[in-house]
Amino acid sequence: MKNKTLFLFWGLLFITSLSSAQKLHIGLGGGFGTFKMSDSRNLNQTVIESLPFGTNLTDDFPPYFLYNGEIIYSFPKIFSLGIKASTTSTGSRVCVSDYSGSYVFDNLQKVYTSGLKAMTGTFPGHKQGICFSLEGGVIWSFLSLKEDFTVFDKSTNSVTDYRAFGYYVQPGIDYLWQVMPWLMVGGNLSYFKGFPNNYYLKDDKEKTLYNTKTNKPISPQWDGVRASISVYYQVIRKKDKK
Amino acid sequence: MIKNTLYIFFVLSLLSVFCLISCNYEPYGENYLEIDSVGVVPSVVVDLNIGWNSDTIYICKDETVTFSYRSNSDVVSWTMFTINGKETHAYTPDEYGSFQFSYYMPDLLPGIYPMSMTVCTHSGTGSLADVTGAEGYLLTKKWVLVITDQYSIRSQITSTLFVDGKLKIKWSSFKGIGFKTGKLYKEMPYIANSPVLVATITDQGQTEYIDNTYHGESSVYYLIINDTYWSNSVTVSGPLPELSVTSDPSGIFMLKWDIPPYSKNLKGYRVSYFDDMSGEYHLISEINDPTIDSCIIPNPILGNEYQFVLTMIPLTDCYYDEYNLHNFLSSKLTACYGTPSPVFYWSDQGSDPIIYMLNAGNIWAYNTEKGIIDATVYSNASLFRFSVSENNQYLISVLRDEKFLFFSDLKTPENSKKIVAKTSMPYSASISNKGTGIIITGTMAEVFDFIHDKKLGEINLSNDFLVINKISPSGNYFVEQTFAGYEFFMFKDSTIERLSCLTENAQDILFADYLSGTPERAVVATSNCVKLIDCDSWSVVSQWNQDNTINTVFNLDYPSRQLFFRTENYFMLLNVETGETKKMFPTTPNQNVFWWDLVYCDKQIFWSGGTKMSVAF
């Protein structure tokens, strides 16, 4: 029901936009994002506590680059609509080493998002302006747990991959500037809110990743602030005035 | 133009997308710990009941061996035992780092087998390798395992020796497993009814013990390990102190003894003597110092046979009452006061400083000046009594159960000869300076010429003859002791004349003898006086009354004219011509001495028991 309502809203907005002058922008961008990852942090803590030797957390899901691409169709005056895809990654490391060997536990997570993006604001009718944007779509999360244990000349390592699927919404503010008739740059500041499912084993969806200490499933938590800059190429131009 | 730009934009965008997508996040960071790779050698306390220190382990075939160790921390990775090249047991310790396993080895025949224990510990460095057991210390201990019988593994008492005044018992260590205690016992036959526990040994390595309760009594020591394995038994007895006595010229009579080698177990000594008459021990001195080795006997009595008893007094313990102390912890010695001289059973002497002594069928001529036996005058197993002439020229011997006498000419030995009794068996005889003498046969007294083997006369005695038979140096007078008392006779002109006894009662006379001279004198002693009698007139020349009752008269010393006798308290000398009396040595009323036991000669007193004392005035 909720999906139907959403589809109806975007449909009406698209039909309305066709009645005005239209612009098509193809954009590429990049930026930074922060990540909540509380489940994964708890998992690391469980790993640390379960090891018979002392380890430290040297990397703990820091902010990292994000990349996106989008195609925006701007209706006259106040409204733009498009599709957008983005990706980012982060990770953590639990490790220790001494003269006799080393232990490394890496938690590497990556996400792909794909969704619709709508903007409304002053820009489409001006050379530059601020718009409010709202994104929404699906997310595919990838988790790779790597463990490498080396003592003297013997080492063991393992890699276990997990997957998770989910949805997201990302409200934000965009600043757009028409630099040249065919080139536009923009900046975006938004907040990513995900609704993910739990990680499951890559080859067996029935096997969910659990934190054995808390006995709770682990899900990707990409929630956080996103800041990015994009460059747009204006493909379709319809002159409102000659 | 637009198309070209769009194319370029697309291409660049596509490349950018692929490039950027490939730039996934890579976790980073390093946590290197600086750790001393040497670490600390772990302290693994191996608590094998067979012991680390023993390289050879003796085990009975039917025993179960228990190995175990404790570690001071959880550092032992694994342990492995190998017996006779075969891995017997491998083990990973429990959470307490302890380990124990039992092995019953009935499959191994008696013999010698190699055994080893290998303990692998963590390194203790705390490194990853240490935690995971990839590094550590390998401790290996090897033994020689001897499977044998019980006899071979038990302790053996190897020696008992005296060290620093105490008795030390040594034994070989118990070779078996599972040592708990060793109990050292000793049995003392007739002293303690049951074995006495001397010591409890708790250390298997202890192999000696000093027994502070040994006092020389016969003791049988043995050791029992774990109340099961009996050692051999070793008997220790004595040595009890050797006793000796000395009498120095100053008259000090001293009992000496060897300090026993266990003297530090003694409190001291008790010196006493046993009195046959009373059957009691008389204490002389109690000495509370085990290092003292002598004791001066106060107021020694000449001619008294002392049965000295040196009793050791235990320092601490004891198993003894007074009676048993004398029986088990004492040394005994029978000794007499004085310096050694020959033992004799009968003696006689003339005027020379020679005492003729009868001992074991021999008549010795003992030179009192030289203190040696000059010669053996006569030997015969049947010798009974003898008499020597006053001038020391002749000696006549009487033999028991023989019908002859033996005449010895001391100056001219070739004249010595047998004298065959003509009538009955001779009982006693005496001889004068002329070679004539008296032969007593029953109640008959014969005057006999021994040189010419001729009887000169005879007379019947009034009663049976008793002991003393004396003839004067001239051979003209003689006296006989009978049960009726002393009887005096004169032989003159081949006629024997009986003389009066010159006392109220002949039985009052204790002693009679003759002195040479002209006229000859007879010396007659009663209990209260001594009379000097002129033989020719047979009248009393001098009479010396005595304040102290004369108990026993021993002899008349011819050269000094002194009569040797004893009263209740003293041995005394009386010059029968001057009446001078001298006290020599103390005595007691109970002293058991007879007239034939003592002889005074040449200013010395000789005791038949084998001592002599000089008389110093």
Side-chain angles (χ1 to χ4, degrees):
Chain A
M1 184 64 184
K2 185 178 178 182
N3 289 339
K4 288 181 178 178
T5 306
L6 203 61
F7 179 76
L8 184 60
F9 170 76
W10 285 109
L12 288 174
L13 194 63
F14 177 72
I15 292 168
T16 306
S17 66
L18 293 177
S19 59
S20 304
Q22 297 159 9
K23 298 175 185 175
L24 181 64
H25 294 90
I26 300 171
L28 293 175
F32 278 93
T34 63
F35 314 105
K36 183 180 178 185
M37 293 295 176
S38 57
D39 283 354
S40 295
R41 286 190 168 94
N42 289 337
L43 176 64
N44 283 343
Q45 198 59 40
T46 299
V47 169
I48 290 171
E49 292 174 1
S50 64
L51 289 171
F53 41 82
T55 55
N56 275 348
L57 191 64
T58 59
D59 197 6
D60 191 18
F61 303 106
Y64 193 62
F65 297 109
L66 60 87
Y67 315 101
N68 54 52
E70 55 191 316
I71 300 174
I72 301 293
Y73 188 83
S74 298
F75 297 95
K77 304 298 182 184
I78 59 167
F79 186 70
S80 295
L81 183 63
I83 57 174
K84 183 177 180 181
S86 69
T87 181
T88 186
S89 61
T90 188
S92 69
R93 170 169 287 182
V94 173
C95 67
V96 67
S97 63
D98 59 28
Y99 69 90
S100 66
S102 63
Y103 174 83
V104 177
F105 176 75
D106 282 347
N107 183 326
L108 176 61
Q109 297 191 40
K110 186 175 181 182
V111 64
Y112 294 103
T113 65
S114 178
L116 296 176
K117 179 179 179 181
M119 291 188 296
T120 183
T122 59
F123 169 68
H126 300 84
K127 194 173 183 179
Q128 58 181 334
I130 295 175
C131 297
F132 296 98
S133 65
L134 178 64
E135 288 180 44
V138 296
I139 54 175
W140 293 273
S141 297
F142 301 84
L143 167 63
S144 183
L145 298 180
K146 295 180 180 179
E147 192 172 27
D148 190 345
F149 191 21
T150 301
V151 175
F152 296 128
D153 58 347
K154 292 186 177 179
S155 63
T156 59
N157 51 66
S158 65
V159 178
T160 310
D161 293 324
Y162 298 88
R163 302 281 188 269
F165 179 77
Y167 304 93
Y168 78 98
V169 293
Q170 186 174 347
I173 300 173
D174 286 54
Y175 172 76
L176 296 171
W177 178 32
Q178 189 75 46
V179 180
M180 297 174 65
W182 50 273
L183 184 64
M184 183 176 66
V185 295
N188 173 264
L189 181 64
S190 58
Y191 182 80
F192 184 97
K193 173 62 181 176
F195 304 96
N197 294 326
N198 299 326
Y199 275 123
Y200 58 86
L201 199 59
K202 173 185 175 185
D203 300 323
D204 189 350
K205 289 186 176 179
E206 301 300 320
K207 293 184 178 177
T208 305
L209 179 62
Y210 270 84
N211 185 329
T212 55
K213 184 179 179 184
T214 61
N215 204 27
K216 291 180 179 177
I218 294 168
S219 61
Q221 291 163 314
W222 296 101
D223 300 356
V225 176
R226 302 288 188 270
S228 63
I229 296 173
S230 298
V231 178
Y232 298 93
Y233 177 75
Q234 185 173 313
V235 180
I236 301 173
R237 286 179 53 207
K238 284 189 175 180
K239 294 181 180 178
D240 295 330
K241 297 177 182 178
K242 280 191 176 178
Chain B
M1 174 66 182
I2 294 174
K3 285 184 179 179
N4 290 337
T5 305
L6 184 62
Y7 175 76
I8 293 169
F9 184 81
F10 264 111
V11 171
L12 289 175
S13 300
L14 201 58
L15 288 175
S16 299
V17 167
F18 282 110
C19 180
L20 294 175
I21 286 175
S22 65
C23 293
N24 287 332
Y25 182 79
E26 284 295 330
Y28 68 95
E30 192 174 352
N31 178 27
Y32 186 80
L33 303 179
E34 289 289 346
I35 293 174
D36 180 9
S37 61
V38 176
V40 179
V41 177
S43 172
V44 177
V45 180
V46 179
D47 190 19
L48 301 180
N49 51 5
I50 53 180
W52 268 117
N53 296 326
S54 174
D55 291 332
T56 304
I57 304 163
Y58 292 80
I59 300 173
C60 291
K61 178 178 168 63
D62 57 352
E63 285 182 327
T64 299
V65 189
T66 301
F67 302 88
S68 66
Y69 69 75
R70 293 170 287 106
S71 62
N72 57 348
S73 62
D74 184 13
V75 295
V76 177
S77 300
W78 52 267
T79 306
M80 183 177 72
F81 276 90
T82 303
I83 297 177
N84 200 26
K86 178 182 176 184
E87 182 179 310
T88 303
H89 197 88
Y91 182 76
T92 303
D94 59 20
E95 59 182 311
Y96 303 107
S98 64
F99 163 78
Q100 180 169 331
F101 95 94
S102 299
Y103 188 67
Y104 182 57
M105 47 190 73
D107 296 336
L108 294 178
L109 294 174
I112 300 173
Y113 302 93
M115 185 179 85
S116 66
M117 174 189 183
T118 303
V119 176
C120 180
T121 71
H122 290 200
S123 66
T125 61
S127 69
L128 291 172
D130 176 38
V131 173
T132 57
E135 70 176 9
Y137 292 93
L138 202 61
L139 308 176
T140 300
K141 172 65 180 175
K142 294 182 179 178
W143 296 273
V144 174
L145 182 66
V146 180
I147 298 179
T148 182
D149 52 24
Q150 285 196 3
Y151 182 85
S152 301
I153 65 173
R154 66 179 189 166
S155 290
Q156 297 271 13
I157 294 181
T158 55
S159 65
T160 56
L161 64 163
F162 296 104
V163 177
D164 193 25
K166 294 182 177 180
L167 175 64
K168 180 183 283 186
I169 300 116
K170 289 186 170 182
W171 58 85
S172 60
S173 60
F174 176 65
K175 297 171 183 171
I177 61 170
F179 175 88
K180 297 183 181 69
T181 59
K183 292 177 180 175
L184 180 65
Y185 289 96
K186 71 174 174 180
E187 290 182 1
M188 294 174 286
Y190 312 111
I191 299 173
N193 293 327
S194 56
V196 176
L197 177 62
V198 177
T200 300
I201 311 299
T202 56
D203 179 5
Q204 189 172 1
Q206 182 177 349
T207 57
E208 62 183 36
Y209 184 79
I210 292 177
D211 182 10
N212 293 322
T213 63
Y214 180 76
H215 317 105
E217 60 277 79
S218 180
S219 303
V220 181
Y221 287 92
Y222 53 90
L223 183 67
I224 304 176
I225 305 295
N226 295 347
D227 296 325
T228 302
Y229 301 97
W230 288 57
S231 77
N232 58 325
S233 60
V234 172
T235 301
V236 182
S237 184
L240 298 177
E242 289 283 336
L243 301 183
S244 62
V245 293
T246 60
S247 299
D248 66 12
S250 64
I252 292 177
F253 189 34
M254 182 179 289
L255 179 68
K256 292 186 174 182
W257 56 89
D258 303 325
I259 295 176
Y262 43 85
S263 60
K264 288 192 176 175
N265 294 343
L266 301 177
K267 178 184 178 186
Y269 310 95
R270 187 176 301 145
V271 180
S272 55
Y273 69 90
F274 183 73
D275 188 351
D276 276 334
M277 301 293 285
S278 63
E280 295 176 348
Y281 289 95
H282 292 272
L283 179 66
I284 296 174
S285 177
E286 187 154 312
I287 301 165
N288 291 324
D289 184 353
T291 62
I292 290 178
D293 62 353
S294 63
C295 172
I296 294 175
I297 309 302
N299 302 319
I301 297 171
L302 183 69
N304 192 26
E305 192 173 73
Y306 287 95
Q307 298 181 46
F308 288 114
V309 179
L310 179 75
T311 304
M312 287 170 286
I313 306 171
L315 181 62
T316 53
D317 183 60
C318 234
Y319 319 108
Y320 305 98
D321 54 21
E322 190 72 14
Y323 174 79
N324 280 324
L325 271 177
H326 286 306
N327 275 279
F328 294 106
L329 293 187
S330 64
S331 297
K332 298 179 175 65
L333 175 70
T334 299
C336 301
Y337 179 39
T339 55
S341 67
V343 174
F344 59 87
Y345 302 113
W346 185 266
S347 68
D348 199 7
Q349 71 281 341
S351 296
D352 292 346
I354 293 174
I355 301 177
Y356 295 90
M357 298 174 172
L358 172 60
N359 186 332
N362 297 299
I363 298 174
W364 294 323
Y366 180 80
N367 189 316
T368 59
E369 291 180 338
K370 298 178 182 176
I372 59 172
I373 295 172
D374 279 341
T376 299
V377 176
Y378 179 62
S379 296
N380 192 301
S382 298
L383 261 173
F384 178 46
R385 285 172 185 164
F386 67 89
S387 175
V388 66
S389 63
E390 188 268 344
N391 62 359
N392 289 75
Q393 183 166 358
Y394 303 114
L395 185 145
I396 187 70
S397 302
V398 180
L399 294 92
R400 186 188 298 276
D401 301 329
E402 297 288 348
K403 254 193 138 178
F404 67 89
L405 300 95
F406 192 86
F407 170 75
S408 300
D409 187 333
L410 301 176
K411 307 292 185 187
T412 314
E414 57 270 23
N415 293 335
S416 300
K417 59 185 175 181
K418 262 186 191 178
I419 305 293
V420 178
K422 300 298 187 292
T423 54
S424 58
M425 185 180 299
Y427 192 71
S428 181
S430 59
I431 192 166
S432 69
N433 292 345
K434 295 191 300 186
T436 60
I438 307 298
I439 299 174
I440 305 298
T441 56
T443 58
M444 181 70 74
E446 293 180 4
V447 178
F448 202 86
D449 184 348
F450 295 109
I451 295 174
H452 301 97
D453 199 4
K454 179 183 174 184
K455 185 167 95 176
L456 301 177
E458 63 180 21
I459 188 170
N460 284 324
L461 302 177
S462 59
N463 208 321
D464 284 343
F465 175 75
L466 193 52
V467 177
I468 293 177
N469 167 32
K470 297 283 188 181
I471 191 167
S472 68
S474 65
N476 295 332
Y477 305 94
F478 60 94
V479 59
E480 309 294 340
Q481 183 191 23
T482 69
F483 283 98
Y486 280 78
E487 294 184 14
F488 296 90
F489 301 94
M490 179 176 68
F491 178 71
K492 199 169 187 180
D493 300 330
S494 301
T495 302
I496 299 173
E497 181 183 346
R498 186 183 301 272
L499 301 174
S500 66
C501 65
L502 298 177
T503 58
E504 292 182 358
N505 190 341
Q507 289 186 330
D508 291 340
I509 298 174
L510 299 175
F511 176 83
D513 200 357
Y514 297 94
L515 287 172
S516 62
T518 305
E520 290 180 313
R521 303 288 174 86
V523 177
V524 177
T526 63
S527 61
N528 53 18
C529 75
V530 177
K531 294 177 181 177
L532 186 64
I533 298 170
D534 185 328
C535 290
D536 289 348
S537 62
W538 200 242
S539 59
V540 176
V541 178
S542 305
Q543 178 171 322
W544 313 109
N545 295 324
Q546 299 299 304
D547 296 333
N548 299 307
T549 301
I550 299 174
N551 282 355
T552 309
V553 179
F554 301 103
N555 74 300
L556 179 62
D557 183 45
Y558 302 129
S560 66
R561 308 281 166 164
Q562 287 179 310
L563 187 70
F564 176 39
F565 61 94
R566 72 178 279 251
T567 63
E568 283 194 348
N569 298 314
Y570 288 99
F571 292 101
M572 303 186 73
L573 287 175
L574 170 66
N575 189 312
V576 295
E577 291 182 344
T578 64
E580 183 186 10
T581 303
K582 295 175 181 175
K583 292 179 182 178
M584 294 189 292
F585 303 104
T587 182
T588 65
N590 293 329
Q591 186 178 2
N592 190 22
V593 60
F594 300 95
W595 66 265
W596 59 81
D597 279 336
L598 295 173
V599 176
Y600 176 71
C601 178
D602 192 22
K603 296 181 180 178
Q604 298 173 78
I605 296 176
F606 296 85
W607 180 57
S608 61
T611 60
K612 63 180 180 181
M613 284 298 295
S614 295
V615 179
F617 293 111

